[in-house]
Amino acid sequence: MRKTNRKQQRTIHFRSTKCGDILCVHDQAAKAYADLLEKDDTVARYAVNVPLENKQYGYIYQTGIRADYFDIGWTTDFLITQQDGSLRVRELVQERMLGKLAVREQLELSRRYWASKGVSDWKAIMAGLVGGEM
C-alpha cells in the first residue's frame, strides 16, 4: 500500500498478457509477484496500484488507525480477480518494515477498506518471499 501522491524514484513497466495492457509497478518484488500472477491459471486478471476511494473510508471502523490516514489517498498493490469472479487483495511489505507502527496501520487500513467492500481474501505478502504464498 502506498500514498497516491508519493513521488516514485523507480517504475517498472511491463506488458501483461492477462490484463492486455502495459502495467507499472514500483519495485522488483511487485514485478516478481505480477510474474507469478501471469502464470497462475486460477487468476483471470489483476490490477496494480488500485486507488482506494476516500468516500469508502466512512464505512471503515477507524479505531487503532491514525485519523489523518483517512485524509490521505492510498493505493493497493494488487487487486486480483479469480477465474470464478471472486476477488483477492495482496499488499506487499518488506519484513523489516513490519516493526513500524505506521506500516501496520496502513496494512490494517487496507484490510478494513477491502472488508468494507466485501473482499475477505486479503493478505500481506513479505516482499522477500514473493515466490511463496499467493
Side-chain angles (χ1 to χ4, degrees):
M1 190 156 131
R2 297 175 183 267
K3 292 179 182 178
T4 54
N5 62 352
R6 180 178 169 192
K7 292 182 181 179
Q8 297 299 326
Q9 295 178 0
R10 177 179 202 190
T11 57
I12 301 169
H13 293 81
F14 63 97
R15 172 101 174 115
S16 166
T17 305
K18 273 206 175 149
C19 301
D21 203 358
I22 303 292
L23 301 181
C24 176
V25 294
H26 302 296
D27 55 41
Q28 280 300 125
K31 174 61 169 85
Y33 195 72
D35 291 343
L36 289 174
L37 295 174
E38 289 287 330
K39 296 173 188 170
D40 187 341
D41 293 335
T42 67
V43 173
R45 64 188 167 279
Y46 62 95
V48 298
N49 306 313
V50 178
L52 304 188
E53 301 167 358
N54 291 40
K55 66 181 181 179
Q56 190 69 23
Y57 292 167
Y59 299 99
I60 298 172
Y61 181 66
Q62 297 184 6
T63 300
I65 300 173
R66 289 173 227 200
D68 63 332
Y69 279 20
F70 295 93
D71 297 329
I72 298 172
W74 297 99
T75 62
T76 282
D77 293 329
F78 290 91
L79 177 61
I80 304 160
T81 304
Q82 297 295 103
Q83 291 291 350
D84 65 5
S86 64
L87 297 175
R88 298 187 310 181
V89 171
R90 298 296 183 263
E91 300 286 8
L92 298 182
V93 62
Q94 295 177 357
E95 185 175 9
R96 65 182 170 80
M97 299 302 286
L98 286 175
K100 297 184 179 235
L101 178 60
V103 171
R104 294 192 311 268
E105 286 176 298
Q106 292 164 18
L107 291 171
E108 182 60 15
L109 172 59
S110 171
R111 188 191 67 75
R112 291 179 192 180
Y113 174 89
W114 290 106
S116 76
K117 303 271 287 178
V119 178
S120 60
D121 190 349
W122 182 100
K123 290 183 182 175
I125 304 293
M126 298 301 157
L129 304 175
V130 167
E133 171 66 31
M134 292 198 301

